[in-house]
Amino acid sequence: MKKVAFLIISLIIIFLITGCAIFNLPFFGGGGETDLADYCKISFLDPNTKEPFSSPITFPASVVIKYQYNGYYPVEDLKMDVVQVINDRNWLSVENLNPTSAMVNFVNEESAGDFLVQTEMRTINKDTVSASKLLHIVDPSPATITEFEFYLTENSTLIPNYQNDAFLWMKIKDDESMLFSKSILASFVSKSKLYINGRDMSTSGFPPESAIVSDDGKQIICIAKLNIPEMNQVFQTPIILEGENKFRFVFEGFNSDGSGFIEKDLMLTAAYTDNTPPEIIDYDYVDAGPGIGYMDFSVTDEFSLYLEVKDKGDMFDTFDPSGLASLTWRISGENQTPISDTIDLTYLAKDALYQEYIPIRIRSYDYPSGIYRLLITIEDRKGNTTTFGPKTFNYNVTSWKEADIKVEKIAGDMGALYTYFAGETLRFSIDSDLTYDSENWSIIPDVGTDFTTNANNNTMIGGAVYRNIKYGDYVVYVEAKKDGIPYYGETSFSVEPSQTYVNQPVITYKVESPSEPSKLFEVVVDSLIDLPSDPYETLKKKKLVYTKDGHPEPAKVDLFPFEYSDSKQQTFKAMVLTSSGSPIILDNYDRVELILTAEDIRGNVSEKPFFFSNE
């Protein structure tokens, strides 16, 4: 009896053990969905060989997705989806596949990147079993920098041994891959570098501080503002050297899988800017007598002009000057052919002081006695000039008389007879009842055919006329004779601007792409009147409206002086950004309205609107 009981208990134990094992087999599904998924296998096959790929799958891709179920539990059907990871775009969706063995062709000729193959299998009791595998399609062609603009915001060139503030605007594009994720800035911060002359300068404001990714993820616009310090704090050596400087920009790790590498090399020349003319420190007329009347000095035979001249650098002489280039003296008058000479000064050091007595031997030119004018022009090696004179002197004249010049306004604001405005007409004559045998008139600076004399104006009995006078300072001279006695005279006058006759500053936009307000564009201000020496006082924003999807959005405009050495023309670089400093990409019907104003030193103001749109 005991043996029978023992046998029954042993059989029950064996049955329980084997039953648990049997019911846990995939045929019975006792383990649930998790266990069944272990029997689902997804693989990627080469469509030509029907074998697994032996190398990375490259774009454009043609892949056979093989699904295999090796379990015994009955299943009914299978569904498969292929979704791009970076943007959740569904590239493939098929249903009612053979749940035990299915092969699906997947072709991708649009975009590389990561794709998630997801399967959902149904069992006979309507439960679902999910499995997935990542398909990585490699783009063998690298991204490219399609647009790259780098310029300095304070000077037109790099300045050696000086802090340089610069600006970078860049567009990176890849037609094949979804390169850029929304976390692009975080990637740039850690993996993008700037090297200047081989030295890592990434902490100077690089990598880009703002960026925007296009909707398709294949293009990004980046902005960086660089603050290149004067000295390396560790080695106490200058960052920017005079002459050639090598800049190397490196961008890496911006692909969705952390790969990707682009570099951009620039060779930039550093030199001190010089928009400041030379300075005349001292002068004297040697072997010359005092002037008579309005004359500056008198000469009997010859004289020497003593000059002390030095070139000056920009920033209140902080920058090195370019150096003196030449000195030209010129003597004219008495209806004689002018005499002149140019002295080459390029042999001097850039910061040298030129001190010299310049002999001017008038007698050797057979000049007759008379009244003459001396004009000195000093030029530095950047083309900046300083003028000395004209200085009037009498040469070996024993008898001459002074001629008073009368100035009359004959067209313009006749209510202000003694204030001359641009655009008016002035007549000059000798204030005398005498009829002179000859009159020779001249004006400095030369104004061309706007200044006419009795020699070329048949409607005049005598004198000269200056039509359509322009803003500035002038000197008018007359040389006349009466009964063999010479008469000489000169008068100075200034021309004021006028809203009636002087055009306001003219603003010109030079925009390469009206649909990209954040792409650097150029603004040029031209004026007949001098513009402020501080360009930030010239050009200002009046109005900025950014409309996105029919609603106003906050935005800002950045203006950077680019070239302003010309007193009557200033050039700016500009761009419109979001309020956070990111680029703006305009979709259909988005719009940016920008109005800038310009003002000259006399307070004449003009404004100019411009519209950016993608319509």
Side-chain angles (χ1 to χ4, degrees), residues 508-522:
T508 304
Y509 293 89
K510 297 183 178 180
V511 177
E512 181 180 333
S513 177
S515 63
E516 294 181 296
S518 298
K519 181 176 174 58
L520 292 172
F521 59 94
E522 197 170 272

Side-chain angles (χ1 to χ4, degrees), residues 7-267:
L7 179 61
I8 294 173
I9 293 172
S10 299
L11 290 173
I12 292 173
I13 293 172
I14 293 172
F15 177 78
L16 290 174
I17 294 173
T18 56
C20 291
I22 292 173
F23 282 109
N24 274 313
L25 289 175
F27 178 84
F28 294 100
E33 296 180 21
T34 303
D35 291 335
L36 288 180
D38 294 338
Y39 295 88
C40 301
K41 181 181 179 182
I42 300 172
S43 57
F44 306 126
L45 306 181
D46 187 321
N48 297 318
T49 65
K50 298 300 187 290
E51 297 294 330
F53 285 90
S54 58
S55 59
I57 303 172
T58 57
F59 175 87
S62 180
V63 180
V64 174
I65 303 174
K66 181 179 179 180
Y67 177 89
Q68 186 72 45
Y69 170 63
N70 298 318
Y72 300 101
Y73 191 86
V75 292
E76 290 188 347
D77 60 23
L78 175 71
K79 177 183 178 183
M80 180 184 297
D81 291 302
V82 180
V83 178
Q84 192 164 12
V85 174
I86 197 171
N87 59 0
D88 294 329
R89 176 184 172 186
N90 197 319
W91 284 72
L92 178 69
S93 183
V94 288
E95 298 180 355
N96 300 319
L97 297 173
N98 185 332
T100 59
S101 181
M103 298 180 71
V104 177
N105 291 325
F106 174 67
V107 178
N108 180 356
E109 296 183 350
E110 294 184 33
S111 179
D114 289 331
F115 299 82
L116 187 64
V117 179
Q118 302 174 141
T119 61
E120 187 179 274
M121 183 178 65
R122 287 197 308 165
T123 65
I124 57 174
N125 61 348
K126 307 306 180 184
D127 291 331
T128 58
V129 180
S130 298
S132 64
K133 185 173 181 179
L134 190 68
L135 170 62
H136 181 58
I137 300 176
V138 178
D139 176 13
S141 63
T144 57
I145 299 176
T146 58
E147 296 183 48
F148 189 94
E149 297 194 32
F150 178 85
Y151 76 95
L152 299 145
T153 58
E154 294 298 328
N155 305 290
S156 58
T157 185
L158 282 172
I159 306 297
N161 306 317
Y162 189 77
Q163 176 172 322
N164 291 267
D165 296 328
F167 182 86
L168 169 68
W169 192 96
M170 175 183 63
K171 183 184 289 184
I172 301 177
K173 186 177 182 181
D174 195 308
D175 292 327
E176 291 80 21
S177 299
M178 282 284 291
L179 291 178
F180 309 109
S181 66
K182 297 299 181 180
S183 60
I184 182 65
L185 279 181
S187 174
F188 270 2
V189 167
S190 61
K191 297 183 178 181
S192 298
K193 301 290 184 182
L194 164 65
Y195 300 91
I196 301 178
N197 298 322
R199 182 176 294 159
D200 189 345
M201 296 299 302
S202 304
T203 58
S204 66
F206 192 83
E209 65 179 25
S210 63
I212 189 166
V213 181
S214 62
D215 290 339
D216 62 3
K218 296 183 178 182
Q219 178 175 283
I220 184 171
I221 297 173
C222 304
I223 292 175
K225 295 178 181 178
L226 281 64
N227 306 108
I228 305 170
E230 177 182 355
M231 302 289 289
N232 181 287
Q233 297 301 316
V234 177
F235 302 102
Q236 287 299 302
T237 55
I239 302 296
I240 301 298
L241 308 175
E242 191 165 8
E244 297 293 322
N245 291 264
K246 184 176 181 180
F247 282 65
R248 184 168 182 251
F249 302 87
V250 176
F251 310 92
E252 58 180 340
F254 47 76
N255 290 11
S256 57
D257 62 356
S259 64
F261 178 88
I262 299 177
E263 61 181 343
K264 178 76 173 180
D265 291 326
L266 295 178
M267 189 66 74

Side-chain angles (χ1 to χ4, degrees), residues 378-434:
I378 305 153
E379 185 172 348
D380 67 15
R381 295 167 201 176
K382 287 295 180 68
N384 304 301
T385 59
T386 294
T387 300
F388 174 79
K391 302 295 183 180
T392 306
F393 65 93
N394 57 294
Y395 167 64
N396 201 20
V397 175
T398 56
S399 177
W400 63 276
K401 293 185 178 181
E402 185 172 349
D404 293 328
I405 297 178
K406 181 171 61 176
V407 184
E408 301 172 272
K409 183 189 296 188
I410 59 176
D413 184 357
M414 305 309 291
L417 292 177
Y418 302 105
T419 301
Y420 312 125
F421 296 103
E424 298 181 333
T425 299
L426 302 181
R427 180 167 60 198
F428 307 92
S429 59
I430 300 176
D431 191 8
S432 171
D433 294 332
L434 297 176

